[in-house]
Amino acid sequence: MTICRIQTLISCTLLLTAGLISAGCNGGNSSEDLEKKEGKKVDAISARENLEKRRICKANLDKVYQILQPSAENINSELQAAVVILNQWFGSCADLSKTQRDVAHPLFMPQTEPEFIANLNSDSVSLGDVLYLRDQLLMRKVVEHVVQDSPTDLEKIRAIYEYTCRNITLDQQLIDPRLTAAGLITQERLSQLDPTTIPRTLQDVVLAGRGLPQDRIWVFATLLEQLNFDSLVMMPPESADAKASSPAILFVLIDDQLLAFCPELAIEFQANAEDANQLWAASALAKDFNSLFNTFPGVTFPEGSPIQQMQAVDWKTADVFLPYAMLSTSRRMEALQIEFAGEMACTIYQPLEGDDANGVGLGERVTSRLKPILEERKLTFWSYPHKMYQQSLLASEEALTLRELSHATLMKEVRSVRANEDQNEEKTYKVSMERQMLKARLQQLLGNETEALRTYIRIRLQFSVTGTGAAVQFENLMRFLQAEDAQYWSAISQYESQGYRAAADTLQNYVARYPNGRWANSARQLQAEALAKNDKPAEAVEILKQSEFPASMNVRKTIDLQNWQTP
C-alpha cells in the first residue's frame, strides 16, 4: 500500500510539474501575443496618422489649385495665399530630392545670377514659383482644347503652332498709342519704350493676345512642353534681343526627326512640299542647312525679304537654346511634379540629369538627337522666360503701370450705363460688367467660345456715355477700344469653332469699322484664311492683294497667294 501511494504521489507530482511547465509556456505565448497586439495597434495608429497627414497634404494642394486654376471665376485670386499654403506643404509634406543644382552646370548660361541657381535648391516657395505654376496650368488647359481634334503627333504640333500665331499678334510697342490721348502715357515715353522691359508672364501674353517674336516662341514651346514635345531655338547672335534683324528658327523633335518653324514669320519649313508627313533629318540639315529655306517651290520672295535675310546667316555660328523657364529644374518643381495629377496634371519639371524616375536629362535628351546640327556648340537655357519672371517679381511702380497699360482694355471695368435719375436729376453709373473682357478672353482661350462670344457681343453693344469732361472722354475711349478688341476676338472664336463663314463676315465688318485698328493687319490675314477654309480661294487672294503688310507678314502672304492661286 505504501509503495502504491508513493508511486501515485510521484505520478501526481510529475503530472503537476508538467502542468506547471505547460502553463509557463502558455503564459509566455500570451505575453508575445499581447506584444504583437500592441504593435499592431501602434501600426494602425501610425497608418491612420499617415493617412490623415496625406489627406491634409492633398487638401493643401487642392487649395493651391483652387487659387491657380485657369477659370473666369478665378481670375482675381490672391496669389500670396498660394505662396503661404505651398510653404506649409513643403514644410510638412514634400519629399525633396537631395540632388543639388550646380551653378556650373553647362545648361545654365554664364550670366545667370548665381543666387538664382542656388535658390533652385531651396525648399522655400516664392511668388515666382506661383506665377510659373499658374502659367503651366493655363498652358495645359489651353493645349488640351487646341489638340482635341488632332489624332496624330504631327497634327497636334501644327495645330498648336497655328493657334499660337493666330492668338499672338506681333506688336513691338505692346501699348496702344491711342492711350496717349487720355494722358496715360506720353508719346515721347512710348516712342522710347523698350517693350522687353514690360513685365509679363505667359498668362499676361496670351490674355493680351499681343507680343514680341520672343513671346510667340515662348508660348509655342510651352504648349509643346505640356504634351512632352521637346523643342530647341536657334538664333543668330545678333538676334538675341528684341530688335532682331533675322528671325529665329524653332525645331520640334519627334523621335529622331524634326519639324522646323519660324514663329516670327508664322510659317513652317516643310521637308517636302508634296508630303507633309515627311520630316527633316538632323544629318541632312547638317550637310545643307540652307535647304531649309528652299522649301517653297514656285514662290518668289521680294528683295530684302526676311527669308533672304535668313539665307544669308551663317547658321553654324547661331546660338542654340532650350526655350524653357529655368524654374522648371528646381527641387521644388521636382517634388510637386509627382503630386500634380488628375485635374492638376501638367508638366512643371525638367530634369537636368537623368535618373531612374526621370530617365535621360533634358540636355542629353535634346543633344543626342541633334548632335549633327549642334556639333560642338553649347546648349543652354534661353534667358527670355527667366527675364520675364524676374521682371514680374522685381517690377518697379513704373513697370507695373506699363504692364497695366499693355492690358488696358482687359483690366478696365466695363460699365453699363443705366440712367437712374436721383432727386437732383443727376445720372448715376453702376458697374455691371466688371472685368468681363478679361473673363471672356480667358473663356475663349479655354475653348468656351459660346460663353466668350456672348460677352463680346454685350461689350460691342455698349453705348457711349453722354456728357463732357475728361472722365467722360476717357470712358468713351475705353469703350471704343474694348469694342474693337471684342470684335476681333469674336472672329477668332468663330474661326476656332470652325465657323469660317461667320468669322470672315465678322472680320470684314471689323476692317470696315476699324481700317487702321490695332488688329487690322491680322484681321485681313485671318479673313483671307477664313475665306480659303470656306472654299473661296479667289476671294481670299483678292483680300491679300489689297492688303499691305509689314515684312514679317509678307512672307506668309506671298506663300498663301501662291498656294491659293495654284489650281
Side-chain angles (χ1 to χ4, degrees):
M1 293 293 290
T2 304
I3 292 172
C4 288
R5 285 177 182 174
I6 291 171
Q7 288 176 336
T8 302
L9 286 170
I10 291 170
S11 298
C12 290
T13 302
L14 290 171
L15 288 170
L16 181 60
T17 303
L20 288 171
I21 292 170
S22 175
C25 293
N26 287 337
N29 288 340
S30 297
S31 176
E32 287 180 7
D33 289 344
L34 185 60
E35 288 178 4
K36 287 180 181 178
K37 287 180 181 178
E38 289 298 322
K40 288 180 179 179
K41 284 183 181 179
V42 171
D43 289 343
I45 293 170
S46 178
R48 284 196 296 271
E49 288 176 349
N50 286 334
L51 283 172
E52 179 62 14
K53 180 180 177 181
R54 278 157 53 185
R55 186 193 67 78
I56 293 172
C57 290
K58 184 179 183 306
N60 279 338
L61 284 184
D62 287 342
K63 290 177 185 176
V64 171
Y65 179 66
Q66 293 306 313
I67 295 170
L68 302 182
Q69 68 173 323
S71 69
E73 296 73 27
N74 205 39
I75 203 71
N76 295 321
S77 293
E78 178 52 56
L79 298 182
Q80 196 59 43
V83 175
V84 173
I85 297 170
L86 279 173
N87 275 316
Q88 292 173 349
W89 186 86
F90 274 99
S92 58
C93 304
D95 183 15
L96 281 167
S97 164
K98 292 181 173 58
T99 304
Q100 297 291 302
R101 280 57 176 164
D102 187 356
V103 68
H105 195 284
L107 287 184
F108 295 131
M109 296 185 71
Q111 60 267 39
T112 305
E113 309 93 322
E115 297 82 5
F116 172 80
I117 298 175
N119 183 256
L120 296 176
N121 296 310
S122 171
D123 61 357
S124 178
V125 175
S126 71
L127 183 59
D129 294 301
V130 169
L131 292 173
Y132 170 75
L133 290 171
R134 185 183 65 175
D135 280 349
Q136 304 312 105
L137 286 166
L138 174 60
M139 293 295 102
R140 179 57 180 239
K141 295 299 182 186
V142 168
V143 82
E144 287 175 354
H145 156 60
V146 173
V147 303
Q148 61 184 344
D149 297 322
S150 303
T152 69
D153 285 350
L154 282 179
E155 289 173 316
K156 284 182 172 67
I157 292 168
R158 286 170 175 148
I160 294 168
Y161 182 63
E162 289 298 321
Y163 178 91
T164 302
C165 295
R166 188 166 53 244
N167 276 277
I168 308 297
T169 291
L170 295 186
D171 184 350
Q172 290 293 339
Q173 283 190 314
L174 301 181
I175 294 175
D176 194 327
R178 290 171 291 187
L179 293 177
T180 58
L184 298 178
I185 186 171
T186 65
Q187 185 60 53
E188 181 183 11
R189 180 71 182 93
L190 187 61
S191 62
Q192 295 173 350
L193 179 64
D194 177 359
T196 64
T197 62
I198 300 177
R200 300 184 309 288
T201 62
L202 276 172
Q203 176 172 291
D204 293 331
V205 172
V206 296
L207 284 173
R210 309 182 73 83
L212 307 173
Q214 295 97 315
D215 294 318
R216 266 196 190 165
I217 293 171
W218 188 18
V219 171
F220 182 39
T222 306
L223 291 173
L224 291 170
E225 180 187 17
Q226 289 306 316
L227 296 184
N228 297 316
F229 292 118
D230 289 326
S231 59
L232 173 141
V233 180
M234 189 172 285
M235 294 182 176
E238 73 275 13
S239 70
D241 66 332
K243 300 176 181 178
S245 57
S246 177
I249 300 169
L250 188 143
F251 289 107
V252 183
L253 287 67
I254 299 184
D255 298 325
D256 294 327
Q257 296 180 300
L258 307 170
L259 286 89
F261 300 93
C262 180
E264 181 174 346
L265 305 182
I267 60 173
E268 177 186 353
F269 301 107
Q270 289 194 4
N272 188 329
E274 303 298 326
D275 182 6
N277 292 319
Q278 185 174 329
L279 306 183
W280 294 99
S283 56
L285 286 176
K287 293 176 182 177
D288 183 11
F289 195 88
N290 268 20
S291 62
L292 203 67
F293 312 117
N294 301 324
T295 55
F296 307 106
V299 178
T300 302
F301 295 103
E303 190 67 30
S305 165
I307 290 290
Q308 293 180 340
Q309 295 173 8
M310 296 178 82
Q311 288 174 324
V313 170
D314 180 6
W315 290 95
K316 289 187 176 182
T317 65
D319 296 319
V320 284
F321 300 112
L322 294 166
Y324 309 119
M326 285 187 284
L327 268 175
S328 65
T329 67
S330 74
R331 295 168 71 219
R332 300 182 295 281
M333 297 307 148
E334 183 179 8
L336 284 169
Q337 182 68 84
I338 301 170
E339 307 296 333
F340 269 45
E343 279 188 308
M344 301 167 66
C346 64
T347 301
I348 59 175
Y349 174 61
Q350 290 289 355
L352 284 174
E353 307 294 348
D355 56 35
D356 293 339
N358 301 298
V360 179
L362 176 62
E364 183 182 348
R365 197 171 71 217
V366 174
T367 303
S368 62
R369 290 181 282 174
L370 291 177
K371 188 63 176 176
I373 296 176
L374 296 177
E375 297 178 335
E376 300 304 317
R377 278 179 290 184
K378 184 180 178 182
L379 182 65
T380 62
F381 280 104
W382 188 30
S383 63
Y384 188 76
H386 172 65
K387 178 181 178 180
M388 289 297 104
Y389 282 121
Q390 289 297 98
Q391 287 183 173
S392 296
L393 283 176
L394 307 173
S396 64
E397 284 298 320
E398 182 187 19
L400 290 174
T401 299
L402 292 173
R403 176 187 172 275
E404 290 176 2
L405 291 177
S406 69
H407 293 74
T409 58
L410 290 171
M411 306 304 292
K412 169 71 178 65
E413 296 178 349
V414 180
R415 294 189 285 187
S416 289
V417 178
R418 293 194 285 246
N420 299 329
E421 297 188 5
D422 60 20
Q423 293 178 349
N424 297 321
E425 296 184 353
E426 293 180 355
K427 291 184 178 180
T428 59
Y429 304 98
K430 294 187 178 180
V431 176
S432 63
M433 291 178 66
E434 183 177 357
R435 292 193 175 184
Q436 288 301 298
M437 175 72 91
L438 182 64
K439 295 176 182 178
R441 175 64 172 160
L442 185 56
Q443 292 275 22
Q444 176 199 331
L445 292 169
L446 296 177
N448 303 321
E449 285 94 355
T450 301
E451 192 64 33
L453 279 168
R454 187 178 293 119
T455 304
Y456 287 149
I457 290 171
R458 291 170 63 193
I459 291 170
R460 289 163 58 188
L461 294 178
Q462 291 181 101
F463 293 105
S464 297
V465 177
T466 58
T468 58
V472 171
Q473 291 177 1
F474 173 74
E475 182 69 27
N476 285 332
L477 171 64
M478 295 308 300
R479 291 184 182 211
F480 178 84
L481 298 180
Q482 282 184 320
E484 179 185 346
D485 287 359
Q487 184 153 354
Y488 179 68
W489 285 337
S490 293
I492 290 185
S493 295
Q494 292 164 332
Y495 186 96
E496 290 176 351
S497 57
Q498 299 182 3
Y500 301 121
R501 180 177 177 180
D505 290 343
T506 302
L507 291 162
Q508 182 177 1
N509 291 335
Y510 173 92
V511 172
R513 185 172 183 183
Y514 310 101
N516 300 310
R518 285 188 94 198
W519 311 95
N521 288 330
S522 296
R524 292 183 178 96
Q525 175 75 49
L526 190 59
Q527 182 187 2
E529 291 177 19
L531 289 168
K533 289 277 190 182
N534 203 34
D535 296 324
K536 296 181 178 179
E539 293 182 35
V541 166
E542 195 58 32
I543 292 292
L544 291 185
K545 285 183 175 180
Q546 295 174 1
S547 303
E548 292 189 11
F549 293 148
S552 60
M553 293 182 68
N554 270 332
V555 173
R556 180 157 180 162
K557 171 186 172 180
T558 305
I559 296 169
D560 286 342
L561 282 172
Q562 174 66 25
N563 292 337
W564 294 337
Q565 289 179 121
T566 302

